[in-house]
Amino acid sequence: MTAMRALSRDRCLALLASVPVGRVVFSLRALPAIRPVNHLVDGNTIVIRSNLGGALASTATQIGPLVVAYEADTFDLAGHTGWTVVVTGAARLILDGERQARYERLLQPWTDEPMNCVIGIDCDLVTGYELVGVVA
Amino acid sequence: MTAMRALSRDRCLALLASVPVGRVVFSLRALPAIRPVNHLVDGNTIVIRSNLGGALASTATQIGPLVVAYEADTFDLAGHTGWTVVVTGAARLILDGERQARYERLLQPWTDEPMNCVIGIDCDLVTGYELVGVVA
């Protein structure tokens, strides 16, 4: 049996930065949507590249930014141990040319799909758990 | 470089059934929420155990069932290959005693957290992609 233990914010962000891939979660046409993407963590911002821009743009007329969740995890399927981190925060298109170019250099898409947007997700709410083995 | 190729519904469900863990995506207090869980696939239904029941119950007064997304993936981080499957559909508490008991036998939670609900997710909309290596 495995116990769930809450992780500190710093530990969550360190774990997130330790893996290249996570999943961005948002609403699209009032339905829950999720897409795996690769990311980097820059201070208090998760940076992804995506054609998600359409979803962001379609919400541009709403009051306030689009709020998304971003999740990463690693599990040992045999041992039933691992960790999961979820960040919830505002997603913003990064339009500053210099910053955009820097992130485009640092973060290469895995696929040949067009990834026309660089998106920053604010780490507003950070939660995470580790699953640790306990003696039954 | 890697190309994305769409997968058939049958292939998506076979891949989903080939792994023990995925992520359920839903709305909680108007925010996107995501939780990793273990699952089994029974025909056209994904079965999970969760204390998500609260989120389901809180939406019991809405018109129609809660619609969730369920995602699983496997990536080769070195080769940038892998697959991702997303199922979108209605989530329902399984309250039939016999079915509930059968799923509770077949699907053991990984943690010692209370998992008071057995939930079935209808495979209404099934999409998936594989990332395959291509010669640049």
Side-chain angles (χ1 to χ4, degrees):
Chain A
M1 189 54 88
T2 304
M4 274 176 80
R5 289 196 192 137
L7 297 168
S8 71
R9 178 187 175 98
D10 284 353
R11 179 75 181 135
C12 286
L13 293 181
L15 284 168
L16 199 59
S18 76
V19 294
V21 170
R23 296 145 202 102
V24 60
V25 175
F26 54 106
S27 283
L28 191 61
R29 297 182 206 100
L31 288 175
I34 174 169
R35 287 188 205 164
V37 288
N38 54 332
H39 66 257
L40 61 84
V41 179
D42 187 11
N44 203 41
T45 305
I46 299 164
V47 181
I48 62 173
R49 292 180 66 176
S50 174
N51 47 17
L52 180 65
L56 275 172
S58 73
T59 61
T61 53
Q62 74 183 24
I63 299 168
L66 180 68
V67 173
V68 305
Y70 194 81
E71 192 264 357
D73 57 44
T74 298
F75 294 111
D76 173 349
L77 300 182
H80 291 193
T81 56
W83 58 268
T84 171
V85 167
V86 179
V87 170
T88 309
R92 301 171 204 277
L93 288 171
I94 292 174
L95 299 172
D96 172 90
E98 201 174 312
R99 233 178 126 206
Q100 190 176 352
R102 184 163 66 89
Y103 289 140
E104 282 175 352
R105 267 198 316 276
L106 292 171
L107 190 63
Q108 300 292 330
W110 283 17
T111 74
D112 54 6
E113 298 293 301
M115 296 293 176
N116 54 336
C117 298
V118 178
I119 296 167
I121 301 167
D122 297 343
C123 295
D124 293 326
L125 179 66
V126 179
T127 59
Y129 296 91
E130 62 178 342
L131 278 65
V132 289
V134 291
V135 178
Chain B
M1 188 53 86
T2 304
M4 274 176 80
R5 290 199 191 136
L7 297 167
S8 70
R9 179 187 174 98
D10 283 354
R11 180 72 181 139
C12 287
L13 294 180
L15 285 169
L16 199 59
S18 76
V19 293
V21 169
R23 296 145 201 101
V24 60
V25 175
F26 55 104
S27 283
L28 191 61
R29 297 182 207 100
L31 288 175
I34 176 168
R35 287 189 203 163
V37 289
N38 55 332
H39 67 256
L40 61 85
V41 179
D42 188 10
N44 204 39
T45 305
I46 299 164
V47 181
I48 62 174
R49 292 180 67 177
S50 175
N51 47 17
L52 179 66
L56 275 173
S58 73
T59 61
T61 52
Q62 73 183 23
I63 298 168
L66 179 68
V67 173
V68 305
Y70 194 81
E71 192 264 357
D73 57 45
T74 299
F75 294 111
D76 173 349
L77 301 183
H80 292 192
T81 56
W83 58 266
T84 171
V85 168
V86 178
V87 170
T88 310
R92 302 170 203 279
L93 289 171
I94 291 174
L95 299 171
D96 171 89
E98 199 173 313
R99 235 179 124 203
Q100 191 176 352
R102 183 162 67 88
Y103 288 140
E104 283 176 353
R105 267 198 315 275
L106 291 172
L107 190 64
Q108 300 290 331
W110 283 17
T111 75
D112 54 7
E113 297 293 300
M115 296 293 177
N116 54 336
C117 298
V118 178
I119 295 167
I121 300 167
D122 298 342
C123 295
D124 292 327
L125 179 66
V126 179
T127 59
Y129 296 91
E130 63 177 341
L131 277 66
V132 289
V134 290
V135 178

